[in-house]
């Protein structure tokens, strides 16, 4: 099935219908992150969805920072988020937008509600306000200030804005319904006093709008037609609609909810990811083990693989948990088709080819990848001494072991067939060298004597190679649902998620590897050069074996 033959998801159906009935002229969506952390794989789903719908229906998608809570936000996060969205391959309409650039309008709208008798300044502190709010089974109690005159509230709001009152001592609340079954409608807070410096507006404001008072109005100001959010905001919809009905907004967006992405063996909450960073469990937001877009990028995931994954999981109206093996399948599939091949030896064992003349070398040539004709051929220097992996040699072995064994033959990938004669050991009995012979005239050919080699192994020339560090990764969490059952999720961190091979050897061309560019290290897995380290370091992207069973 091609892209366009796939059945439409529920949002695509809605939009198709809105365009057909001319309810919508041009589709406008937005991706609205709060700049309080790096984006994670769940955000990738929202990005692909919002930008994808705009692309598909000839519309536009805004990138808007929902920056109403300066205490937790930073410019560095703004920059990281922009980079991630661009890297995924999406282009936002016009300039980046900020909720904070609408603060003047929100303030006027707050005054408007007060004048209409639909908002008041309340003197309850946050704790008292919580008590007054009631519960799911009990109605709330009216604030003692609920009937305060508009005049007085307007004056108090102005003075809150000017910094005359302490944080928590007053708030502006909408006057809706303290008995509503939906707690969001029990006179929600519109403005809080927060004497905070803001990354965009500096020290201009001492009061900040609540997320609820800002979010829907931002969409209305921007003319967003389809305001798409995750399911937990379904309960807020009546409140957003109340604002839209009671304010002089220029447009009326409609909210649609979809199921958020959860992945097993993974946490997708900025708060928890920040904890991993702050407590030093990982080495920053872009640690290759992190489920952040920056982490995946540094680990060698491609934008295409993340987009493919988001496409595979689809969009539904219910929450679910996706198997992380599906994400791993998406990148493996991409790299199998597209990554250049290279040879690397993680545990080097020297092989001396006793019949190959000392001092002689030659340059062999091998395809860049069996799946890509456009990649240039690689040059493989060959000489009397080569390194193979310790795992690929045994003194004796049964037939199943299709690698180098004494008295048996194996092929060095892209080079000669060799036959092993002897293992040299140190005093401790460890094998430190293998003596072997080259079978003549076997580059690209079978041996003339008809004795075929068993298997093909990777190797690296001793006289000309690249030395580097390799970082092998396992899942960051040991269990499918980190922190389930009220446990601390940090207790489920896998202590062996990183292992370092400090002295790996690779073919010489790896010296020129570009950061984040994927390679298949033959018979080992997929790797890319780290983008932060000065020296040569390769990060494992993913192993070769696929544990994901594609649905039939
Ligand atoms: P977190 O819970 O990790 O802090 P958030 O929802 O608070 O995430 P925002 O910056 O507010 O983070 O999110 C921006 C957009 O991304 C929102 O529209 C939100 O619905 C969406 N989003 C966040 N997490 C997911 C997820 N796991 N799956 C799908 N969409 C998500
Ligand atoms: Mg949020």
């Amino acid at each position: 099935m091609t892209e366009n033959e796939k059945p439409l998801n529920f949002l695509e159906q809605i939009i198709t219908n809105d365009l057909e009935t001319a309810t919508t002229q041009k589709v406008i969506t937005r991706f609205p992150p709060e700049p309080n952390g790096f984006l994670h794989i769940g955000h990738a789903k929202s990005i692909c969805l919002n930008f994808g719908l705009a692309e598909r229906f000839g519309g536009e998608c805004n990138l808007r920072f929902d920056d109403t809570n300066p205490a937790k936000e930073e410019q560095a996060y703004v920059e990281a988020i922009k980079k991630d969205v661009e890297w995924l391959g999406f282009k936002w309409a016009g300039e980046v937008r900020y909720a904070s650039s609408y603060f003047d309008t929100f303030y006027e709208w707050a005054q408007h509600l007060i004048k209409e008798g639909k908002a008041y300044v309340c003197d309850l502190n946050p704790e008292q306000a919580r008590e007054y709010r009631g519960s799911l089974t009990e109605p709330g109690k009216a604030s003692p200030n609920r009937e305060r005159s508009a005049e007085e509230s307007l004056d108090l709001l102005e003075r809150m804005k000017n910094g005359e009152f302490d944080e928590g001592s007053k708030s502006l609340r909408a006057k809706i319904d303290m008995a509503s079954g939906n707690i969001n409608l029990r006179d929600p807070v519109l403005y809080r006093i927060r004497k905070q410096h803001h990354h965009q507006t500096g020290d201009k404001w001492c009061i900040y709008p609540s997320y609820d008072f800002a979010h829907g109005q931002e969409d209305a100001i921007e003319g967003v037609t389809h305001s798409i959010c995750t399911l937990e905001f379904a309960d807020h919809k009546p409140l957003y609609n109340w604002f839209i009905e009671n304010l002089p907004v220029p447009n009326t967006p409609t909210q649609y909810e979809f199921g958020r992405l959860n992945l097993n063996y993974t946490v997708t909450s900025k708060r928890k990811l920040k904890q991993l960073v702050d407590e030093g469990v990982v080495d920053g937001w872009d640690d290759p083990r992190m489920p952040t877009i920056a982490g995946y990028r540094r680990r060698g995931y491609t934008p295409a693989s993340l987009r493919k994954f988001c496409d595979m999981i689809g969009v539904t109206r219910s929450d679910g948990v996706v198997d992380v093996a599906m994400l791993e399948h998406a990148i493996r599939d991409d790299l199998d088709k597209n990554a250049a091949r290279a040879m690397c030896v993680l545990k080097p064992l020297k092989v001396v080819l006793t019949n190959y003349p000392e001092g002689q070398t030659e340059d062999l040539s091998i395809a860049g990848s069996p799946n890509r004709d456009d990649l240039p051929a690689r040059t493989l220097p060959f000489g009397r001494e080569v390194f193979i992996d310790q795992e690929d040699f045994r003194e004796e072995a049964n037939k199943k072991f299709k690698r180098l064994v004494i008295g048996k033959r194996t092929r060095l990938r892209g080079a000669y067939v060799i036959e092993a004669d002897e293992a040299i050991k140190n005093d401790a009995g460890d094998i430190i060298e293998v003596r072997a012979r080259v079978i003549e005239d076997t580059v690209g050919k079978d041996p003339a004597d008809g004795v075929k080699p068993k298997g093909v192994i990777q190797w690296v020339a001793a006289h000309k190679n690249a030395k580097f560090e390799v970082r092998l990764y396992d899942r960051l969490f040991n269990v499918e649902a980190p922190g389930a059952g009220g446990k601390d999720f940090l207790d489920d961190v896998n202590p062996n998620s990183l292992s370092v091979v400090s002295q790996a050897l690779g073919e010489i061309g790896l010296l020129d590897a570009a950061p984040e560019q994927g390679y298949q290290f033959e018979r080992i897995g997929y790797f890319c050069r780290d983008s932060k380290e000065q020296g040569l370091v390769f990060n494992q992207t993913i192993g070769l074996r696929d544990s994901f069973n594609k649905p039939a």
Side-chain angles (χ1 to χ4, degrees):
M1 215 166 2
T2 66
E3 189 66 9
N4 290 327
E5 291 169 60
K6 258 176 60 171
L8 298 185
N9 66 42
F10 79 98
L11 291 167
E12 291 165 340
Q13 283 172 21
I14 289 168
I15 293 178
T16 302
N17 186 59
D18 288 349
L19 289 169
E20 273 170 16
T21 57
T23 312
T24 300
Q25 311 303 322
K26 178 177 177 181
V27 175
I28 300 186
T29 56
R30 84 289 178 262
F31 173 62
E34 183 180 357
N36 60 352
F38 276 50
L39 299 179
H40 53 62
I41 186 72
H43 296 113
K45 176 175 178 179
S46 178
I47 293 169
C48 288
L49 180 59
N50 282 296
F51 283 90
L53 287 170
E55 228 164 60
R56 174 162 192 165
F57 292 98
E60 287 185 346
C61 181
N62 296 344
L63 173 61
R64 181 184 69 232
F65 289 97
D66 244 332
D67 54 349
T68 54
N69 183 5
K72 294 192 170 162
E73 298 165 6
E74 281 176 29
Q75 187 61 30
Y77 294 138
V78 169
E79 298 307 326
I81 290 170
K82 278 158 53 177
K83 182 171 174 183
D84 288 348
V85 174
E86 277 180 326
W87 178 76
L88 279 175
F90 295 109
K91 223 177 144 23
W92 51 85
E95 299 290 310
V96 167
R97 293 150 212 259
Y98 296 89
S100 52
S101 61
Y102 313 135
F103 281 177
D104 285 324
T105 307
F106 295 162
Y107 189 76
E108 284 165 26
W109 284 349
Q111 290 173 317
H112 174 85
L113 288 178
I114 296 174
K115 288 177 200 155
E116 300 270 302
K118 291 171 183 163
Y120 60 95
V121 169
C122 170
D123 299 342
L124 297 178
N125 65 34
E127 200 182 312
Q128 294 165 325
R130 211 170 305 124
E131 275 168 35
Y132 275 66
R133 196 174 301 134
S135 67
L136 284 174
T137 49
E138 281 182 35
K141 254 188 339 184
S143 155
N145 314 110
R146 201 167 196 261
E147 301 309 327
R148 187 169 247 163
S149 72
E151 216 176 9
E152 191 185 356
S153 279
L154 282 172
D155 175 59
L156 287 171
L157 179 65
E158 188 72 17
R159 290 168 58 196
M160 280 164 63
K161 172 170 152 268
N162 295 339
E164 286 186 32
F165 304 112
D166 290 339
E167 288 192 13
S169 64
K170 292 197 176 348
S171 62
L172 180 72
R173 295 174 68 180
K175 195 193 249 184
I176 308 182
D177 179 3
M178 287 309 291
S180 173
N182 183 338
I183 294 182
N184 292 305
L185 296 177
R186 293 186 190 168
D187 292 11
V189 171
L190 308 184
Y191 269 98
R192 290 188 180 85
I193 301 170
R194 283 213 173 111
K195 297 185 174 170
Q196 293 270 350
H197 182 82
H198 188 288
H199 52 104
Q200 302 300 322
T201 58
D203 296 315
K204 177 173 175 190
W205 296 91
C206 293
I207 54 174
Y208 288 94
S210 62
Y211 179 86
D212 280 346
F213 185 56
H215 189 76
Q217 285 86 291
E218 295 159 24
D219 287 343
I221 291 170
E222 293 180 7
V224 168
T225 53
H226 297 78
S227 170
I228 298 163
C229 64
T230 37
L231 285 168
E232 66 268 27
F233 292 101
D235 283 352
H236 297 240
K237 191 171 176 172
L239 175 57
Y240 297 164
N241 289 344
W242 187 89
F243 289 134
I244 298 297
E245 282 156 24
N246 287 286
L247 291 171
V249 292
N251 301 285
T252 52
T254 310
Q255 172 174 308
Y256 300 96
E257 303 91 20
F258 72 99
R260 59 187 287 126
L261 167 65
N262 301 300
L263 270 185
N264 62 9
Y265 296 100
T266 308
V267 300
T268 45
S269 143
K270 272 185 282 188
R271 186 179 55 78
K272 289 182 180 166
L273 295 176
K274 185 166 191 307
Q275 219 177 319
L276 290 170
V277 173
D278 290 346
E279 300 193 16
V281 176
V282 294
D283 180 25
W285 285 95
D286 62 352
D287 184 300
R289 291 166 293 179
M290 287 283 270
T292 52
I293 296 178
Y296 288 118
R297 175 166 65 234
R298 194 169 157 204
R299 185 152 172 184
Y301 278 67
T302 58
S305 66
L306 295 185
R307 289 173 70 151
K308 178 73 197 293
F309 169 70
C310 291
D311 190 49
M312 283 165 80
I313 56 179
V315 182
T316 60
R317 259 184 275 218
S318 56
D319 282 332
V321 181
V322 171
D323 189 348
V324 72
M326 201 159 154
L327 174 61
E328 295 169 348
H329 168 78
I331 181 62
R332 193 181 282 113
D333 196 46
D334 180 346
L335 293 175
D336 177 44
K337 290 192 187 99
N338 297 311
R341 273 30 175 188
M343 289 199 280
C344 167
V345 171
L346 294 180
K347 286 190 273 174
L349 172 63
K350 189 190 273 185
V351 178
V352 179
L353 301 162
T354 53
N355 63 342
Y356 196 90
E358 224 155 318
Q360 180 175 317
T361 60
E362 62 188 300
D363 280 345
L364 302 171
S365 178
I366 187 169
S369 158
N371 300 334
R372 279 185 59 184
D373 297 339
D374 60 317
L375 289 177
R378 295 133 61 197
T379 300
L380 298 178
F382 189 84
R384 182 179 157 90
E385 294 187 357
V386 300
F387 288 98
I388 64 169
D389 202 285
Q390 284 169 25
E391 308 271 323
D392 287 337
F393 172 75
R394 284 194 200 160
E395 290 180 89
E396 290 171 48
N398 65 21
K399 279 195 211 148
K400 280 192 203 147
F401 187 77
K402 293 198 164 54
R403 292 169 262 172
L404 193 61
V405 179
I406 291 188
K408 299 270 165 57
R409 291 178 179 182
T410 197
R411 176 176 291 284
L412 299 179
R413 161 85 73 205
Y416 294 92
V417 172
I418 63 171
E419 184 170 322
D421 295 319
E422 188 189 356
I424 313 272
K425 297 180 184 170
N426 63 12
D427 293 344
D430 305 321
I431 298 169
I432 52 165
E433 185 180 308
V434 175
R435 304 237 149 187
R437 269 168 300 118
V438 157
I439 309 300
E440 268 175 44
D441 196 26
T442 50
V443 178
K445 290 182 200 165
D446 280 337
D449 62 9
V451 182
K452 289 201 177 167
K454 287 260 171 65
V456 182
I457 62 174
Q458 80 272 22
W459 58 280
V460 171
H463 70 285
K464 219 178 189 184
N465 58 41
K467 296 179 183 60
F468 48 79
E469 178 178 312
V470 168
R471 296 180 185 163
L472 300 169
Y473 299 110
D474 198 352
R475 287 174 180 160
L476 187 53
F477 293 96
N478 276 326
V479 299
E480 282 200 37
K487 252 181 32 184
D488 183 350
F489 80 105
L490 291 176
D491 292 340
D492 291 324
V493 166
N494 172 7
N496 304 313
S497 59
L498 166 64
S499 39
V500 176
V501 178
S502 51
Q503 300 263 16
L505 295 176
E507 63 181 70
I508 189 78
L510 290 173
L511 288 179
D512 302 321
E516 292 164 8
Q517 168 100 44
Y519 285 91
Q520 186 194 92
F521 286 177
E522 298 203 37
R523 301 180 60 234
I524 305 176
Y526 296 97
F527 291 81
C528 74
R529 181 175 180 172
D530 189 75
S531 51
K532 271 186 140 174
E533 298 292 346
Q534 289 292 317
L536 200 54
V537 173
F538 282 86
N539 293 318
Q540 180 187 38
T541 311
I542 193 77
L544 290 174
R545 270 201 27 234
D546 205 326
S547 59
F548 173 63
N549 294 316
K550 273 191 261 186

